[in-house]
Amino acid sequence: MAGLSLDHPYAFAFGILGNLISFMVYLAPLPTFYRVYKRKSTEGFQSVPYVVALFSAMLWIYYAFVKTNMFLLITINTFGCFVETVYILMFLHYAPRKAKIYTLKLMFLFNVILFGSIVLLTMLLTKGENRAILLGWICVAFAVSVFAAPLSIIKLVIKTKSVEFMPFYLSLFLTLSAVCWFGYGLLSKDIYVAIPNILGFLFGMTQMVLYTVYKNCKKVSEEKVISDSITIVVVPDHQIIKEKEVEIPSHEGDHEQNKGTAVTNDEENVITKSTVAA
């Protein structure tokens, strides 16, 4: 098999490294699902990334079987199918009814209708090498759209000047994975594997540069938010409530004062403090 042959030792090495790093990428959501398991709730987490990842793994397995001699693609994507299926089953178990229905609809759309249509059309309309070519370009188109997903994270980091939602190690492993699979595709002369990973590498490097730039800005931003203003939120009972003005000192330490509104209840007050940006 190509990729396992001694005639392609460098392609084999890149493929093995790609498998190892992609293995860690697939396991990256484990802390999230451990939290879901402990709290018995999905807490607003979305199922879309896991459904899309399952579809992607299925698509690459199909491509590998059609192209033949792509054993290293089959191994990692088979593992990916298993892991993503486990994630989705856990999500379905702990998610609220509305999220469960939405997830099932997504799975039916991506993993049944779309994947089934691709298999059917490529089987009926193409033969031999042409089938692998068509399927390869389908894989490239979908992989590029998936690699473009970090654009929203990059925009969020620049806007908030915070890397809270962009874990460094996940970005690092995704970048290394892209490098390995690009090398595998290049050395095994498979452009359909190599092309999308160029984009994956560029987006990964961009994320790591942004992390370096903004990694120390989060604490400053949080202090600014805390010091800007304080809103007192009151949850009243079903009694008649009254309003009165209270004075809240400004964070600048001068003699000016900000006025806030506190709602009091004759029998009982439940007061929660939260911070808001200016």
Side-chain angles (χ1 to χ4, degrees):
M1 287 185 177
L4 290 180
S5 172
L6 293 178
D7 295 332
H8 303 85
Y10 294 112
F12 173 74
F14 274 105
I16 291 295
L17 285 174
N19 269 255
L20 293 174
I21 296 172
S22 297
F23 178 85
M24 290 184 283
V25 171
Y26 275 125
L27 295 180
L30 274 178
T32 296
F33 279 90
Y34 180 73
R35 176 178 171 179
V36 168
Y37 168 74
K38 292 289 288 184
R39 301 192 179 187
K40 312 299 181 187
S41 171
T42 53
E43 300 181 322
F45 291 117
Q46 299 297 312
S47 61
V48 177
Y50 311 108
V51 174
V52 171
L54 176 60
F55 172 75
S56 178
M58 292 169 61
L59 198 58
W60 281 110
I61 288 174
Y62 178 44
Y63 169 74
F65 275 114
V66 170
K67 183 72 179 287
T68 68
N69 301 327
M70 303 293 285
F71 179 75
L72 293 176
L73 273 182
I74 293 173
T75 54
I76 188 57
N77 285 290
T78 300
F79 176 75
C81 282
F82 170 75
V83 171
E84 299 300 336
T85 300
V86 172
Y87 290 156
I88 293 170
L89 289 175
M90 283 190 66
F91 185 92
L92 289 172
H93 182 71
Y94 293 112
R97 185 174 182 274
K98 186 176 180 179
K100 287 180 181 178
I101 294 174
Y102 180 69
T103 301
L104 290 171
K105 286 180 178 178
L106 278 180
M107 290 189 66
F108 184 73
L109 175 64
F110 278 95
N111 306 105
V112 178
I113 294 180
L114 186 55
F115 181 75
S117 298
I118 290 171
V119 172
L120 185 62
L121 290 175
T122 52
M123 293 291 288
L124 293 177
L125 301 180
T126 57
K127 293 181 180 180
E129 186 178 350
N130 289 332
R131 181 178 298 162
I133 292 173
L134 176 60
L135 188 56
W137 284 115
I138 291 173
C139 288
V140 168
F142 183 76
V144 167
S145 66
V146 170
F147 277 129
L151 282 173
S152 60
I153 298 297
I154 291 172
K155 180 180 177 182
L156 181 64
V157 170
I158 295 173
K159 183 178 180 180
T160 61
K161 295 181 172 55
S162 170
V163 293
E164 180 181 1
F165 302 103
M166 192 181 70
F168 174 78
Y169 287 107
L170 180 56
S171 298
L172 175 62
F173 283 129
L174 288 172
T175 304
L176 292 176
S177 175
V179 171
C180 290
W181 287 114
F182 170 75
Y184 175 80
L186 184 67
L187 294 171
S188 62
K189 299 179 181 180
D190 191 320
I191 61 172
Y192 310 112
V193 175
I195 289 175
N197 284 293
I198 297 174
L199 192 61
F201 171 75
L202 293 176
F203 280 133
M205 288 300 297
T206 302
Q207 289 182 66
M208 289 194 291
V209 168
L210 286 174
Y211 187 92
T212 302
V213 172
Y214 292 117
K215 65 179 180 179
N216 295 321
C217 294
K218 179 184 173 185
K219 187 174 182 180
V220 175
S221 177
E222 286 179 348
E223 289 173 352
K224 182 180 183 301
V225 169
I226 292 171
S227 64
D228 277 337
S229 60
I230 298 177
T231 300
I232 301 178
V233 181
V234 179
V235 183
D237 291 334
H238 297 289
Q239 307 293 331
I240 298 175
I241 58 179
K242 303 176 182 178
E243 291 188 355
K244 68 178 182 180
E245 290 186 340
V246 295
E247 293 182 341
I248 302 175
S250 170
H251 68 283
E252 297 176 352
D254 55 17
H255 295 290
E256 295 181 0
Q257 294 178 325
N258 299 321
K259 288 187 177 181
T261 300
V263 183
T264 59
N265 187 283
D266 291 335
E267 292 186 4
E268 180 181 5
N269 290 330
V270 183
I271 301 178
T272 306
K273 293 186 178 179
S274 62
T275 60
V276 293

